[in-house]
Amino acid sequence: MDQPTALFVDAGTQTSKYFNVGMFAILIFDYFITLETEWVWHRRWTFVRFVFTVSRYLPFFAIGMTFTGALRTQYYPGESCVRFGQASNVLHIICILAAEGLLITRIYASWNSKRLLAFLIVFPVVCFAVSYIISDTPLIFNSKNTTSINIPNPGDCLFVGGRNNVYEYAALLLYELVLFCLMMYIKFSKYGNAVGLLQRTFFNDSARYMICIMIVSSFNIILTMAPPVTWVSITDSPQIVIHSVLASRILFNLRASEGQSQIHTQTEVSEMQFGDQFSTVIYGV
């Protein structure tokens, strides 16, 4: 039987492994401190609850796969990690899309415009399609290379990433910036007289969510381009963990605000009174 080969390791790959394992621990910790709030299985299934379930629980599998890759230290002859890496990337993308889907649902509910909904769906598709297309072009130095010169990567099993991810982070940053501006416009132009606890929670938590995502995306861009390429994998998990945690907290806080405001309905829809107007914000999961 062929003997396994030890995979290359340096300060960058080791730090990336530690960081991703730490993010997995944060995700697990966050789940347990909100365990009582998350116990919602008696509620009926809705679209919002389905999207919430994906954004909240799929990251455990996605980050778990990253965790597994980070723990790998050996390569067995004939082994290939390509499919594993592709599956992990797909799960990461689905997790982010689900979290953003919850945000899109709330922005649409606050304005209730089909044109706005079409924009919220088409705009991110265009952004990420363009970023995916140009990620295969050599516009950025070393963007297509996933490893440094003379670093062996047998079977693509080395825990190291490529600089072409910078396009996705830039697209996400642009998308969140546009949504943030749109949310602020809706808040001050249409609901300027909103003073209730539920509406304050809705707008404030959504703004915090988008600001945090923009900050993390900015750091990811820097960490993808500035340090040596072996440090790039440090950006694998933070986006997914932040998306999952913050998207869930928005729902939990809205539910708590509804209880404090003594607003109870028989459906999974809660009415928010903004001045003399009402907007239906779906938040029940």
Side-chain angles (χ1 to χ4, degrees):
M1 178 180 295
D2 294 330
Q3 294 298 319
T5 303
L7 293 172
F8 173 85
V9 61
D10 66 355
T13 55
Q14 197 63 42
T15 302
S16 297
K17 291 183 177 185
Y18 288 148
F19 196 84
N20 282 276
V21 170
M23 295 304 297
F24 191 37
I26 291 175
L27 183 64
I28 296 175
F29 175 75
D30 179 76
Y31 174 77
F32 279 104
I33 64 176
T34 59
L35 187 59
E36 182 178 356
T37 308
E38 300 202 35
W39 191 253
V40 294
W41 300 112
H42 62 282
R43 295 174 180 262
R44 68 183 181 87
W45 283 94
T46 63
F47 173 77
V48 175
R49 183 183 172 187
F50 171 77
V51 177
F52 164 80
T53 302
V54 173
S55 68
R56 184 56 170 164
Y57 300 110
L58 189 61
F60 287 96
F61 296 95
I63 305 301
M65 294 182 70
T66 303
F67 176 81
T68 302
L71 294 182
R72 175 182 287 273
T73 59
Q74 294 180 326
Y75 165 76
Y76 291 87
E79 188 178 16
S80 176
C81 300
V82 175
R83 291 184 181 274
F84 182 88
Q86 291 174 343
S88 177
N89 291 335
V90 170
L91 289 183
H92 283 208
I93 294 173
I94 294 175
C95 293
I96 292 177
L97 290 178
E100 293 299 322
L102 290 175
L103 179 62
I104 288 175
T105 300
R106 277 149 189 79
I107 295 179
Y108 166 69
S110 66
W111 190 265
N112 196 24
S113 168
K114 292 184 178 180
R115 291 184 178 180
L116 175 63
L117 179 61
F119 170 78
L120 293 174
I121 294 175
V122 173
F123 180 67
V125 171
V126 172
C127 287
F128 288 100
V130 172
S131 68
Y132 178 79
I133 292 173
I134 64 176
S135 65
D136 286 331
T137 62
L139 295 180
I140 290 184
F141 174 73
N142 200 29
S143 65
K144 294 171 74 70
N145 295 332
T146 57
T147 58
S148 299
I149 299 175
N150 298 326
I151 295 181
N153 186 14
D156 283 335
C157 293
L158 184 64
F159 192 71
V160 65
R163 300 191 191 277
N164 55 345
N165 290 333
V166 71
Y167 298 109
E168 283 76 11
Y169 298 140
L172 183 60
L173 176 61
L174 174 62
Y175 176 63
E176 294 296 338
L177 180 61
V178 171
L179 288 192
F180 179 79
C181 295
L182 180 60
M183 175 67 79
M184 292 299 100
Y185 172 77
I186 293 174
K187 177 181 179 180
F188 292 110
S189 66
K190 188 174 182 180
Y191 304 122
N193 296 324
V195 294
L197 176 61
L198 190 61
Q199 53 265 35
R200 285 202 307 269
T201 301
F202 171 75
F203 284 117
N204 291 342
D205 283 2
S206 297
R208 292 190 189 100
Y209 169 92
M210 288 180 277
I211 291 174
C212 288
I213 297 300
M214 286 189 287
I215 292 174
V216 172
S217 297
S218 299
F219 275 109
N220 281 357
I221 292 174
I222 296 173
L223 291 173
T224 300
M225 297 306 303
V229 73
T230 53
W231 291 77
V232 172
S233 290
I234 203 172
T235 63
D236 282 358
S237 299
Q239 282 284 2
I240 289 82
V241 173
I242 294 297
H243 271 88
S244 176
V245 170
L246 295 183
S248 302
R249 289 304 177 90
I250 293 176
L251 292 174
F252 299 154
N253 291 342
L254 282 174
R255 189 187 303 157
S257 297
E258 187 217 23
Q260 296 176 21
S261 301
Q262 297 182 348
I263 302 175
H264 300 287
T265 62
Q266 299 300 318
T267 65
E268 309 243 341
V269 177
S270 182
E271 285 188 333
M272 297 170 54
Q273 183 173 2
F274 295 163
D276 296 329
Q277 304 181 53
F278 286 85
S279 179
T280 302
V281 177
I282 306 174
Y283 78 99
V285 293

